[in-house]
Amino acid sequence: MIPDKHIDDLKSRFRGTLISPDHAAYNTVRQVWNGTIDRRPRLIARCTSASDVVEAVRFGREHNLLTAVRGGGHNVAGNAMCDDGLVIDLSMMKAVVVDPQARTARAEGGATWADFDTETQKFGLATTGGLISSTGVAGLTLGGGIGWLMRTHGLASDNLISADVVTASGETLTASESKNADLFWALRGGGGNFGVVTSFEYQLHPVSMVMGGMVIHPVARAAELLRFYRDFARTAPDSVTLLFVFLTGPPAPFLPVELHGKPLVAIAVCGLDISAEGEKAVRALKEFGPPLVDLIGPMPYGVLQGLNDPSAPHGIRSYWKSEYLNELSDGAINALVDGMSRVQSPMSQIHVHQLGGAVARVGPDATAVSHRSAAFVTNVLAMWPESSADAAEIAWTRGVWEAMRPFGAGAYVNFLGEEGEERVRASYGETTHAKLAAIKRRYDPTNFFRLNQNIRPS
Ligand code: FAD
């Protein structure tokens, strides 16, 4: 336990809430999205401002506490929580302020994409964000940030204009192209290694109605659909972003009852052009097969952003493995189809995200995001409710990934679990990793921020 007098001392300078294990809210506040994470910190500092974050960082250092930083709390590895240490929790810092004239938005470090989209969509504006609205803007942006708008507008991190950061020494800095440019480079892909970001400033783009939804096919046609997906993705305009999904039919009103509980495959889409030309761009998707169900049509972008939320409820147990693919070869397709045939939990999914477009047009050294030339990134996502199924679900995920791995080009850092240093290196490549390690030495030489996909200071 941390002696009461130290906590009282922090309390006198701290405007948020300090939550110790004896606090009534402790067991609620220590929960994160992934239900397999059950960690018991000594203190959770729920910050309300950058000055609270400064106090919390200084407290962590002074008392030599293992320190975690929580944004949206969505990371599958559970790095937002720790055992026996301090959690700097930003989840009460959710403000998002839009400047519609400049087309920019500032989001505090605990905002989610739901918070962000709600404010920016009031002005018909958006920037690339996550596919599930409860994901934090912080972790997603710091790791790169793929989403529906990326092939036109780049990754979430490509839209970052500046970030306010509390460093390991408790200093507050702004990072942008013109201020602390090395830190700004590292923050765009390097994850939570370099400090606590209290505020993110983003470039916005006009986005209101989109061509969204999915076409759904029987799993028996998975291989055929994946080959079609590969060919369609190659020629699709940048205004179209695609996602192949293997899923089990949810008991949702938009699905005929006979498909509930059935293994299915789908191609989901976001098209930014809803004109006749835009409709033409996705027509082949609607015609191929034909699909069992066609749910593609014009919808508000904000609706598309919340459409998949029921598939990833808070507290579900989860384990993931990801791999970039330079191409979707027949071998990779066979591995995916075989993996689908062995799925256990009806909540588990396999995703193949289409990349390219604006993602690939940013130079490989421009930010810390690697694998920009990959055509796809796959993610095997086991999700299940009962702890008794943990071992079997983890084994399924690993099995599918092992079969995929010969075709892979490295991991996407935001989809990594606790997978060790080699996988972190594989998600950056040697050159980017070495540069990140040098910047880490400058801003966090003692590796105070180490509960993340850790890059040790060189
Ligand atoms: P947290 O768990 O709070 O934090 C993740 C990491 O970031 C931790 O290491 C933490 O210390 C650090 N961190 C958090 N906040 C800060 C901060 N303010 N300053 C400094 N460091 C901080 N990724 C995509 O790219 N696109 C998607 O569409 C997408 N969809 C997802 C859907 C689901 C259901 C889930 C669970 C994840 C998804 N992800 C997606 C992955 C997601 O980007 C990462 O899990 C990301 O780390 C989540 O950010 P967070 O702030 O919610 O997480």
Side-chain angles (χ1 to χ4, degrees):
M1 297 297 283
I2 304 166
D4 283 351
K5 73 176 169 50
H6 295 315
I7 295 184
D8 288 343
D9 181 44
L10 174 61
K11 221 177 251 170
S12 67
R13 302 187 304 271
F14 195 81
R15 298 192 303 146
T17 314
L18 296 175
I19 298 188
S20 305
D22 55 356
H23 193 287
Y26 179 76
N27 280 327
T28 310
V29 172
R30 71 185 181 85
Q31 283 167 17
V32 290
W33 177 80
N34 185 350
T36 67
I37 307 298
D38 181 19
R39 297 189 183 150
R40 308 186 72 86
R42 284 196 228 174
L43 185 67
I44 303 174
R46 303 199 90 189
C47 303
T48 54
S49 63
S51 68
D52 276 354
V53 174
V54 170
E55 293 301 340
V57 167
R58 288 187 178 152
F59 187 82
R61 283 190 74 105
E62 226 171 275
H63 298 281
N64 201 19
L65 293 169
L66 178 66
T67 299
V69 179
R70 180 192 171 121
H74 248 238
N75 197 271
V76 74
N79 285 323
M81 275 294 136
C82 61
D83 274 324
D84 248 358
L86 169 70
V87 175
I88 301 178
D89 181 344
L90 277 76
S91 57
M92 287 162 76
M93 294 174 59
K94 285 172 164 295
V96 178
V97 178
V98 181
D99 180 340
Q101 266 73 47
R103 289 187 180 161
T104 60
R106 268 192 179 280
E108 284 190 304
T112 63
W113 287 104
D115 301 320
F116 191 90
D117 291 332
T118 301
E119 296 305 320
T120 57
Q121 279 291 279
K122 293 222 163 69
F123 302 95
L125 298 169
T127 208
T128 307
L131 272 56
I132 300 287
S133 74
S134 51
T135 310
V137 300
L140 184 136
T141 303
L142 294 170
I146 65 173
W148 286 126
L149 307 182
M150 66 182 156
R151 285 169 39 81
T152 301
H153 298 302
L155 301 171
S157 55
D158 295 333
N159 288 284
L160 194 64
I161 299 170
S162 71
D164 293 338
V165 184
V166 177
T167 65
S169 62
E171 195 186 353
T172 52
L173 292 178
T174 296
S176 67
E177 289 291 2
S178 59
K179 290 181 197 154
N180 302 300
D182 56 348
L183 179 60
F184 187 55
W185 179 88
L187 289 176
R188 289 172 295 161
N193 275 285
F194 304 93
V196 185
V197 180
T198 53
S199 169
F200 295 82
E201 184 190 8
Y202 294 92
Q203 186 66 58
L204 301 176
H205 312 275
V207 180
S208 39
M209 292 296 285
V210 296
M211 195 67 80
M214 58 171 70
V215 280
I216 299 174
H217 296 258
V219 75
R221 303 190 70 176
E224 203 186 328
L225 190 68
L226 274 163
R227 285 194 291 271
F228 165 76
Y229 177 64
R230 167 178 69 193
D231 298 340
F232 185 73
R234 207 175 278 146
T235 55
D238 291 355
S239 59
V240 168
T241 298
L242 303 167
L243 169 66
F244 175 92
V245 187
F246 162 73
L247 73 165
T248 301
F254 57 79
L255 266 194
V257 76
E258 62 273 17
L259 297 184
H260 295 175
K262 292 277 181 313
L264 301 167
V265 281
I267 299 177
V269 64
C270 174
L272 295 189
D273 181 358
I274 56 159
S275 69
E277 195 63 21
E279 203 276 323
K280 215 166 107 194
V282 298
R283 195 174 297 153
L285 281 181
K286 295 160 98 49
E287 287 171 355
F288 179 81
L292 291 172
V293 187
D294 173 4
L295 299 168
I296 296 177
M299 63 176 72
Y301 172 71
V303 170
L304 178 65
Q305 281 292 83
L307 214 56
N308 295 318
D309 286 0
S311 69
H314 184 89
I316 195 71
R317 305 180 78 79
S318 196
Y319 185 84
W320 295 8
K321 282 281 195 185
S322 86
E323 205 62 44
Y324 282 103
L325 298 177
N326 290 329
E327 56 168 350
L328 192 48
S329 62
D330 288 344
I333 289 176
N334 290 342
L336 288 166
V337 173
D338 182 56
M340 293 171 201
S341 71
R342 287 180 291 104
V343 74
Q344 301 162 125
S345 165
M347 300 194 70
S348 297
Q349 300 195 349
I350 299 177
H351 292 175
V352 186
H353 297 265
Q354 179 198 16
L355 301 172
V359 177
R361 283 196 292 276
V362 176
D365 310 327
T367 71
V369 173
S370 298
H371 302 293
R372 283 191 182 267
S373 58
F376 301 97
V377 60
T378 60
N379 198 9
V380 186
L381 311 94
M383 291 184 272
W384 67 98
E386 302 290 345
S387 59
S388 54
D390 287 3
E393 293 298 341
I394 290 169
W396 174 73
T397 314
R398 287 191 179 149
V400 183
W401 172 72
E402 292 289 352
M404 284 285 309
R405 209 171 177 195
F407 312 101
Y412 171 36
V413 74
N414 269 347
F415 291 166
L416 279 179
E418 250 186 72
E419 300 183 36
E421 188 174 349
E422 274 319 300
R423 286 284 282 167
V424 178
R425 283 177 180 272
S427 45
Y428 290 112
E430 280 311 309
T431 311
T432 299
H433 189 272
K435 192 169 166 187
L436 285 168
I439 297 171
K440 175 81 169 174
R441 185 179 58 207
R442 176 155 185 217
Y443 290 95
D444 183 13
T446 64
N447 204 7
F448 176 71
F449 297 113
R450 61 181 178 279
L451 280 175
N452 40 46
Q453 299 302 338
N454 195 229
I455 295 156
R456 280 185 286 132
S458 61

